Amino acid sequence: MEVQAMLKILIVDDSSTARMFIRRCLEIAGCQGAAFQEAGNGKDALDLLRKAPVDFILADLNMPVLDGRNFLKRLKSSPKTCDIPLIVVSSASNPASDVELIAEGAYAVLSKPVTPPALIASIGALIKKQEEAHGTE
Amino acid sequence: MEQNEVNMCLAIKAAVTESIENMVFMAIDTDLDGLSEDLGSDPVMASLRVLEPRPGVLRLAMPRSTVVEISKNLYSVAENELSDAMIQDVTCELLNTISGRVMKRILPAECAFHLGLPEMVDKPHDLQGAFVQCSFLADGNLLIVLAQI
Protein backbone atom coordinates (compact mmCIF):
# COMPACT_ATOMS: atom_id res chain seq x y z
CA MET A 1 0.00 0.00 0.00
CA GLU A 2 1.32 3.45 -0.88
CA VAL A 3 0.15 6.36 1.23
CA GLN A 4 0.24 10.04 0.33
CA ALA A 5 3.56 11.64 1.20
CA MET A 6 2.19 14.62 3.12
CA LEU A 7 -0.20 12.72 5.34
CA LYS A 8 -0.14 14.20 8.87
CA ILE A 9 -0.46 11.65 11.67
CA LEU A 10 -0.62 12.27 15.44
CA ILE A 11 0.41 9.45 17.81
CA VAL A 12 -0.75 9.84 21.43
CA ASP A 13 0.67 7.51 24.08
CA ASP A 14 2.41 8.10 27.42
CA SER A 15 5.03 5.49 26.51
CA SER A 16 7.80 6.69 24.19
CA THR A 17 8.40 3.01 23.35
CA ALA A 18 4.79 2.59 22.26
CA ARG A 19 4.94 5.78 20.15
CA MET A 20 8.13 4.61 18.46
CA PHE A 21 6.68 1.15 17.83
CA ILE A 22 3.42 2.48 16.38
CA ARG A 23 5.34 4.89 14.16
CA ARG A 24 7.55 2.07 12.89
CA CYS A 25 4.50 -0.08 12.15
CA LEU A 26 2.91 2.84 10.28
CA GLU A 27 6.07 3.28 8.21
CA ILE A 28 6.10 -0.44 7.38
CA ALA A 29 2.40 -0.14 6.53
CA GLY A 30 3.22 2.47 3.87
CA CYS A 31 3.31 5.78 5.78
CA GLN A 32 7.07 6.33 5.56
CA GLY A 33 6.55 9.69 3.89
CA ALA A 34 4.08 10.98 6.48
CA ALA A 35 4.67 13.87 8.87
CA PHE A 36 4.43 12.46 12.40
CA GLN A 37 3.58 14.35 15.56
CA GLU A 38 3.64 12.82 19.03
CA ALA A 39 2.00 13.62 22.37
CA GLY A 40 2.28 11.93 25.76
CA ASN A 41 -1.34 12.42 26.81
CA GLY A 42 -4.70 13.72 25.60
CA LYS A 43 -4.16 17.26 26.87
CA ASP A 44 -0.88 17.69 25.00
CA ALA A 45 -2.53 16.21 21.91
CA LEU A 46 -5.36 18.77 22.06
CA ASP A 47 -2.75 21.55 22.40
CA LEU A 48 -1.03 20.28 19.24
CA LEU A 49 -4.33 20.05 17.36
CA ARG A 50 -5.16 23.67 18.22
CA LYS A 51 -2.01 24.69 16.35
CA ALA A 52 -2.43 22.43 13.32
CA PRO A 53 -4.92 19.75 12.29
CA VAL A 54 -3.86 16.25 11.28
CA ASP A 55 -5.31 13.65 8.92
CA PHE A 56 -5.80 11.04 11.60
CA ILE A 57 -4.85 10.14 15.15
CA LEU A 58 -3.72 6.95 16.86
CA ALA A 59 -4.25 7.15 20.63
CA ASP A 60 -3.82 4.94 23.67
CA LEU A 61 -6.58 4.76 26.29
CA ASN A 62 -4.63 4.42 29.50
CA MET A 63 -2.72 7.70 29.94
CA PRO A 64 -2.13 10.19 32.76
CA VAL A 65 -3.45 13.79 32.79
CA LEU A 66 -6.15 13.23 30.13
CA ASP A 67 -6.86 9.61 29.17
CA GLY A 68 -7.79 8.36 25.73
CA ARG A 69 -11.52 8.06 26.36
CA ASN A 70 -11.80 11.67 27.57
CA PHE A 71 -9.51 12.82 24.77
CA LEU A 72 -11.88 11.16 22.29
CA LYS A 73 -14.88 12.90 23.89
CA ARG A 74 -13.21 16.32 23.68
CA LEU A 75 -12.04 15.66 20.14
CA LYS A 76 -15.54 14.76 18.99
CA SER A 77 -17.23 17.62 20.89
CA SER A 78 -15.27 20.34 19.09
CA PRO A 79 -16.40 21.47 15.60
CA LYS A 80 -12.72 22.02 14.70
CA THR A 81 -11.64 18.46 15.46
CA CYS A 82 -14.76 16.30 15.33
CA ASP A 83 -14.05 15.10 11.78
CA ILE A 84 -10.53 13.85 12.52
CA PRO A 85 -10.58 10.04 12.60
CA LEU A 86 -9.13 8.52 15.77
CA ILE A 87 -7.88 4.94 15.92
CA VAL A 88 -7.58 3.60 19.46
CA VAL A 89 -4.45 1.47 20.04
CA SER A 90 -4.68 0.04 23.52
CA SER A 91 -3.82 -2.93 25.71
CA ALA A 92 -7.16 -2.45 27.47
CA SER A 93 -9.42 -3.01 24.48
CA ASN A 94 -11.86 -5.91 24.38
CA PRO A 95 -15.07 -6.56 22.44
CA ALA A 96 -17.25 -4.90 25.10
CA SER A 97 -15.25 -1.68 25.35
CA ASP A 98 -14.57 -1.61 21.58
CA VAL A 99 -18.29 -1.28 20.88
CA GLU A 100 -18.54 1.62 23.36
CA LEU A 101 -15.54 3.39 21.84
CA ILE A 102 -16.91 3.09 18.32
CA ALA A 103 -20.24 4.46 19.58
CA GLU A 104 -18.35 7.38 21.13
CA GLY A 105 -16.75 8.20 17.78
CA ALA A 106 -13.58 6.10 17.49
CA TYR A 107 -12.91 5.08 13.89
CA ALA A 108 -11.40 1.72 14.88
CA VAL A 109 -9.93 -0.05 17.90
CA LEU A 110 -6.71 -2.06 17.70
CA SER A 111 -5.10 -4.14 20.42
CA LYS A 112 -1.48 -3.80 21.50
CA PRO A 113 0.90 -4.91 20.20
CA VAL A 114 -0.33 -3.40 16.98
CA THR A 115 0.97 -5.00 13.78
CA PRO A 116 1.56 -3.56 10.30
CA PRO A 117 -1.16 -5.80 8.75
CA ALA A 118 -3.72 -4.55 11.29
CA LEU A 119 -2.72 -0.96 10.58
CA ILE A 120 -2.86 -1.52 6.82
CA ALA A 121 -6.42 -2.81 7.22
CA SER A 122 -7.45 0.27 9.23
CA ILE A 123 -5.50 2.94 7.36
CA GLY A 124 -6.34 1.62 3.91
CA ALA A 125 -10.05 1.82 4.60
CA LEU A 126 -9.61 5.21 6.24
CA ILE A 127 -7.75 6.74 3.31
CA LYS A 128 -10.25 5.30 0.83
CA LYS A 129 -13.05 6.82 2.87
CA GLN A 130 -11.32 10.22 2.95
CA GLU A 131 -10.71 10.10 -0.80
CA GLU A 132 -14.36 9.26 -1.42
CA ALA A 133 -15.45 12.11 0.85
CA HIS A 134 -13.31 14.52 -1.19
CA GLY A 135 -14.52 13.09 -4.50
CA THR A 136 -11.10 11.88 -5.62
CA GLU A 137 -9.99 8.57 -7.05
CA MET B 1 -1.79 -26.76 40.50
CA GLU B 2 -5.50 -25.76 40.56
CA GLN B 3 -7.44 -25.33 37.32
CA ASN B 4 -7.67 -21.53 37.62
CA GLU B 5 -3.88 -21.37 38.07
CA VAL B 6 -3.43 -23.58 35.00
CA ASN B 7 -5.74 -21.29 33.00
CA MET B 8 -3.85 -18.22 34.23
CA CYS B 9 -0.51 -19.76 33.21
CA LEU B 10 -1.87 -20.59 29.76
CA ALA B 11 -3.17 -17.01 29.39
CA ILE B 12 0.18 -15.57 30.48
CA LYS B 13 2.11 -17.85 28.13
CA ALA B 14 -0.06 -16.84 25.17
CA ALA B 15 0.16 -13.14 26.10
CA VAL B 16 3.95 -13.20 26.47
CA THR B 17 4.40 -15.10 23.21
CA GLU B 18 2.10 -12.75 21.24
CA SER B 19 3.69 -9.64 22.75
CA ILE B 20 7.39 -10.53 22.54
CA GLU B 21 7.22 -12.27 19.16
CA ASN B 22 5.22 -9.44 17.56
CA MET B 23 7.17 -6.57 19.11
CA VAL B 24 10.76 -7.80 18.93
CA PHE B 25 10.65 -11.07 16.96
CA MET B 26 12.28 -13.01 19.83
CA ALA B 27 11.22 -16.65 20.22
CA ILE B 28 9.58 -17.58 23.53
CA ASP B 29 10.45 -20.87 25.21
CA THR B 30 8.69 -22.14 28.33
CA ASP B 31 11.11 -25.01 28.87
CA LEU B 32 13.85 -23.56 31.05
CA ASP B 33 15.59 -26.97 30.98
CA GLY B 34 17.09 -26.61 34.44
CA LEU B 35 18.29 -23.05 33.92
CA SER B 36 18.33 -20.84 37.02
CA GLU B 37 15.42 -18.44 37.61
CA ASP B 38 17.80 -16.10 39.42
CA LEU B 39 17.14 -12.50 38.40
CA GLY B 40 20.76 -11.59 39.11
CA SER B 41 22.16 -8.66 41.03
CA ASP B 42 20.46 -5.97 38.91
CA PRO B 43 16.86 -7.07 38.28
CA VAL B 44 14.36 -4.85 36.47
CA MET B 45 10.78 -5.11 37.71
CA ALA B 46 7.49 -3.40 36.92
CA SER B 47 4.04 -3.70 38.45
CA LEU B 48 0.57 -2.92 37.11
CA ARG B 49 -2.71 -2.89 39.03
CA VAL B 50 -5.88 -4.39 37.62
CA LEU B 51 -8.67 -2.04 38.75
CA GLU B 52 -11.79 -3.64 37.23
CA PRO B 53 -13.69 -5.96 37.10
CA ARG B 54 -11.83 -7.15 40.21
CA PRO B 55 -8.63 -5.87 41.81
CA GLY B 56 -5.39 -7.62 41.10
CA VAL B 57 -1.74 -7.16 40.21
CA LEU B 58 0.45 -8.24 37.32
CA ARG B 59 4.22 -8.00 37.48
CA LEU B 60 7.12 -8.44 35.09
CA ALA B 61 10.61 -9.23 36.37
CA MET B 62 13.76 -9.67 34.29
CA PRO B 63 17.50 -9.61 34.72
CA ARG B 64 18.75 -6.31 33.30
CA SER B 65 20.45 -8.28 30.53
CA THR B 66 17.05 -9.48 29.27
CA VAL B 67 15.48 -6.04 29.02
CA VAL B 68 18.67 -4.74 27.39
CA GLU B 69 18.36 -7.42 24.68
CA ILE B 70 14.66 -6.66 24.18
CA SER B 71 15.32 -2.91 24.04
CA LYS B 72 18.19 -3.32 21.55
CA ASN B 73 15.87 -5.30 19.26
CA LEU B 74 12.96 -2.91 19.74
CA TYR B 75 14.88 0.32 19.15
CA SER B 76 17.48 -1.17 16.76
CA VAL B 77 20.29 0.46 18.75
CA ALA B 78 23.51 -0.65 20.46
CA GLU B 79 23.56 -1.24 24.21
CA ASN B 80 25.55 1.96 24.88
CA GLU B 81 22.76 3.98 23.23
CA LEU B 82 20.15 2.74 25.73
CA SER B 83 19.32 5.08 28.62
CA ASP B 84 17.81 4.01 31.95
CA ALA B 85 14.65 5.86 30.93
CA MET B 86 14.39 3.76 27.75
CA ILE B 87 14.96 0.54 29.73
CA GLN B 88 12.22 1.50 32.19
CA ASP B 89 9.79 2.58 29.48
CA VAL B 90 10.30 -0.66 27.54
CA THR B 91 9.69 -2.68 30.73
CA CYS B 92 6.50 -0.79 31.57
CA GLU B 93 5.13 -0.91 28.02
CA LEU B 94 5.87 -4.62 27.75
CA LEU B 95 4.03 -5.28 31.02
CA ASN B 96 1.13 -3.08 29.87
CA THR B 97 0.83 -5.02 26.61
CA ILE B 98 1.12 -8.44 28.26
CA SER B 99 -1.41 -7.49 30.94
CA GLY B 100 -4.05 -6.46 28.43
CA ARG B 101 -3.70 -9.71 26.55
CA VAL B 102 -3.86 -11.75 29.76
CA MET B 103 -7.06 -9.99 30.84
CA LYS B 104 -8.64 -10.52 27.44
CA ARG B 105 -7.92 -14.23 27.66
CA ILE B 106 -9.21 -14.81 31.19
CA LEU B 107 -12.36 -12.66 30.98
CA PRO B 108 -15.52 -13.25 28.95
CA ALA B 109 -15.71 -11.09 25.79
CA GLU B 110 -18.60 -9.05 27.21
CA CYS B 111 -16.63 -8.14 30.35
CA ALA B 112 -14.70 -4.85 30.09
CA PHE B 113 -11.63 -4.33 32.24
CA HIS B 114 -9.67 -1.36 33.48
CA LEU B 115 -5.91 -1.37 34.08
CA GLY B 116 -3.82 1.07 36.10
CA LEU B 117 -0.62 2.61 34.82
CA PRO B 118 2.50 0.42 34.95
CA GLU B 119 5.21 1.51 37.37
CA MET B 120 8.71 0.36 38.20
CA VAL B 121 9.27 -1.43 41.52
CA ASP B 122 12.66 -1.99 43.07
CA LYS B 123 12.12 -4.39 45.94
CA PRO B 124 12.55 -8.08 45.15
CA HIS B 125 10.48 -9.04 48.19
CA ASP B 126 7.51 -7.38 46.53
CA LEU B 127 7.44 -10.43 44.30
CA GLN B 128 6.64 -12.74 47.21
CA GLY B 129 3.10 -13.78 48.05
CA ALA B 130 0.16 -15.58 46.50
CA PHE B 131 1.15 -15.00 42.89
CA VAL B 132 0.94 -17.34 39.93
CA GLN B 133 4.48 -17.29 38.56
CA CYS B 134 5.41 -18.18 34.97
CA SER B 135 8.98 -18.14 33.68
CA PHE B 136 10.08 -17.88 30.06
CA LEU B 137 13.13 -17.59 27.90
CA ALA B 138 13.13 -14.99 25.13
CA ASP B 139 15.92 -16.09 22.78
CA GLY B 140 17.55 -17.59 25.87
CA ASN B 141 16.97 -14.56 28.13
CA LEU B 142 14.96 -15.08 31.34
CA LEU B 143 11.74 -13.19 32.03
CA ILE B 144 9.17 -13.87 34.73
CA VAL B 145 5.51 -12.83 34.85
CA LEU B 146 3.59 -12.91 38.13
CA ALA B 147 -0.16 -12.54 38.47
CA GLN B 148 -2.46 -12.11 41.44
CA ILE B 149 -5.95 -11.65 40.01
Side-chain angles (χ1 to χ4, degrees):
Chain A
M1 185 180 68
E2 196 170 320
V3 177
Q4 296 94 325
M6 291 314 293
L7 203 62
K8 297 185 186 78
I9 304 170
L10 173 60
I11 303 171
V12 191
D13 197 305
D14 57 320
S15 165
S16 56
T17 302
R19 296 196 302 270
M20 179 277 297
F21 186 72
I22 291 168
R23 177 176 176 159
R24 184 177 295 170
C25 287
L26 283 164
E27 288 170 344
I28 293 169
C31 296
Q32 60 269 35
F36 291 99
Q37 291 190 79
E38 296 184 10
N41 60 64
K43 180 180 178 299
D44 289 349
L46 288 171
D47 289 343
L48 284 173
L49 290 169
R50 282 189 198 101
K51 294 172 189 166
V54 296
D55 292 297
F56 63 89
I57 301 166
L58 293 102
D60 188 17
L61 287 179
N62 205 9
M63 297 183 287
V65 185
L66 183 66
D67 65 25
R69 194 174 284 266
N70 283 304
F71 171 53
L72 174 63
K73 283 179 185 168
R74 293 207 194 174
L75 189 81
K76 294 300 166 185
S77 66
S78 166
K80 288 184 180 174
T81 57
C82 64
D83 291 331
I84 301 174
L86 184 146
I87 299 166
V88 173
V89 181
S90 175
S91 63
S93 73
N94 78 339
S97 60
D98 293 359
V99 170
E100 289 178 11
L101 287 162
I102 297 294
E104 289 168 13
Y107 179 79
V109 184
L110 302 176
S111 291
K112 287 184 175 180
V114 71
T115 60
L119 278 172
I120 287 169
S122 287
I123 296 166
L126 183 58
I127 290 171
K128 187 177 177 188
K129 188 178 176 183
Q130 286 182 325
E131 286 174 345
E132 286 170 355
H134 290 92
T136 58
E137 289 297 319
Chain B
M1 190 181 282
E2 293 181 15
Q3 188 58 44
N4 58 348
E5 288 184 29
V6 172
N7 292 341
M8 179 62 76
C9 283
L10 289 172
I12 290 171
K13 180 185 174 186
V16 168
T17 301
E18 291 161 355
S19 301
I20 296 282
E21 290 187 353
N22 275 319
M23 289 174 79
V24 287
F25 309 109
M26 293 170 81
I28 291 296
D29 192 352
T30 53
D31 183 5
L32 269 60
D33 198 22
L35 286 175
S36 168
E37 294 186 34
D38 183 5
L39 291 168
S41 59
D42 194 12
V44 179
M45 291 170 284
S47 182
L48 182 149
R49 290 195 174 280
V50 178
L51 305 175
E52 293 174 3
R54 56 179 184 266
V57 180
L58 282 145
R59 287 181 179 165
L60 175 62
M62 300 174 276
R64 186 177 174 84
S65 58
T66 297
V67 69
V68 164
E69 283 305 308
I70 291 171
S71 303
K72 281 163 58 182
N73 285 339
L74 196 51
Y75 277 92
S76 302
V77 297
E79 182 172 348
N80 62 7
E81 295 176 82
L82 290 171
S83 66
D84 284 345
M86 288 164 82
I87 294 278
Q88 292 178 10
D89 195 71
V90 167
T91 305
C92 286
E93 181 58 17
L94 196 52
L95 175 60
N96 183 42
T97 303
I98 291 169
S99 299
R101 299 196 85 88
V102 169
M103 295 304 293
K104 245 188 271 194
R105 285 190 173 269
I106 63 171
L107 292 174
E110 69 275 11
C111 184
F113 60 89
H114 187 196
L115 303 176
L117 293 171
E119 57 184 7
M120 300 301 291
V121 292
D122 56 8
K123 295 175 183 172
H125 59 74
D126 282 350
L127 299 177
Q128 308 291 324
F131 282 88
V132 172
Q133 177 173 325
C134 304
S135 301
F136 305 92
L137 293 176
D139 280 1
N141 299 281
L142 176 68
L143 66 100
I144 299 173
V145 175
L146 302 102
Q148 189 179 54
I149 302 171

